[in-house]
């Protein structure tokens, strides 16, 4: 009987933890919805009031429970809702693909300048690329999510990059997946060269755009 009682208690604890994680992920999904709504409004405004939009497209993703728990354990922590919120700052992610490098900074300023968006951290991998050539603007932003009984601050990882940066990052991801992280040195060298070429292309394309439309064009 004691073993049955213990199993029942463990099952109840598991169900409670599962329900708590589900609710937490729901809050992060709402955070994604809040941020993508803000970006959609900017897209609509530019579509109606300007010749073009600096935003090409937007992607969003929510980490799976399995990925979250694996990350917490990999970092040496015992999984709990409090620990997950503290160490997993990339549960919710939104990626904005822009036409030009100046658009990346311009769109970020538009988002960061909104009164209910709190910028926690910025990592500018465009000004200072990673050693492998990766370029992108990363930021952690906190937004209020209004629930029926309270307001919850939710952290969303925001990435902004150009089309060229996004194409390079997608290729790198596929290569690392193909080789299970053990990428041959010659491919790493080629990837870096491609990153340099991508940066040069961004510069040339923006220069052409400014010659045709002027510096003030979106």
């Amino acid at each position: 009987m004691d073993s049955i009682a213990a199993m029942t208690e463990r099952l109840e604890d598991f169900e409670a933890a599962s329900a708590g994680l589900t609710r937490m992920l729901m809050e992060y999904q709402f955070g994604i919805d809040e941020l993508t709504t803000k970006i959609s409004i900017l897209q609509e405004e530019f579509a109606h009031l300007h010749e073009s939009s600096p935003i090409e497209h937007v992607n969003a993703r929510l980490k799976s429970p399995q990925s979250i728990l694996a990350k917490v354990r990999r970092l040496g922590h015992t999984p709990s809702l409090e620990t997950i919120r503290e160490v997993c700052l990339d549960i919710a992610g939104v990626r904005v693909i822009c036409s030009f490098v100046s658009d990346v900074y311009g769109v970020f300023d538009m988002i960061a300048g909104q009164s209910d968006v709190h910028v926690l951290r910025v990592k500018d991998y465009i000004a200072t690329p990673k050693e492998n050539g990766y370029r992108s603007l990363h930021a952690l932003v906190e937004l209020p999510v209004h629930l029926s009984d309270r307001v919850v601050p939710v952290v969303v990882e925001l990435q902004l990059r150009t089309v060229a940066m996004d194409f390079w990052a997608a290729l790198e991801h596929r290569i690392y997946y193909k080789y299970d992280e053990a990428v041959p040195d010659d491919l790493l060298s080629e990837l870096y060269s491609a990153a340099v070429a991508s940066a040069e292309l961004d510069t040339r394309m923006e220069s052409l755009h400014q010659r045709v439309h002027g510096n003030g064009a979106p």
Side-chain angles (χ1 to χ4, degrees), residues 31-102:
I32 289 174
D33 296 341
E34 289 280 351
L35 186 54
T36 53
T37 296
K38 291 177 178 295
I39 297 167
S40 294
I41 290 172
L42 292 176
Q43 286 180 294
E44 286 290 322
E45 178 186 352
F46 275 95
H48 287 88
L49 302 180
H50 302 275
E51 291 183 2
S52 61
S53 172
I55 301 171
E56 293 288 341
H57 57 271
V58 181
N59 299 320
R61 62 108 184 96
L62 184 70
K63 265 187 179 294
S64 68
Q66 294 82 3
S67 296
I68 293 170
L69 295 176
K71 180 173 183 177
V72 171
R73 293 192 179 100
R74 188 170 64 250
L75 294 174
H77 299 282
T78 300
S80 69
L81 296 182
E82 293 75 16
T83 302
I84 289 172
R85 288 188 187 276
E86 181 179 347
V87 304
C88 292
L89 300 177
D90 59 346
I91 294 176
V94 173
R95 181 178 298 145
V96 182
I97 312 303
C98 298
S99 305
F100 306 104
V101 173
S102 61

Side-chain angles (χ1 to χ4, degrees), residues 128 136 203:
T128 307
S136 187
T203 299

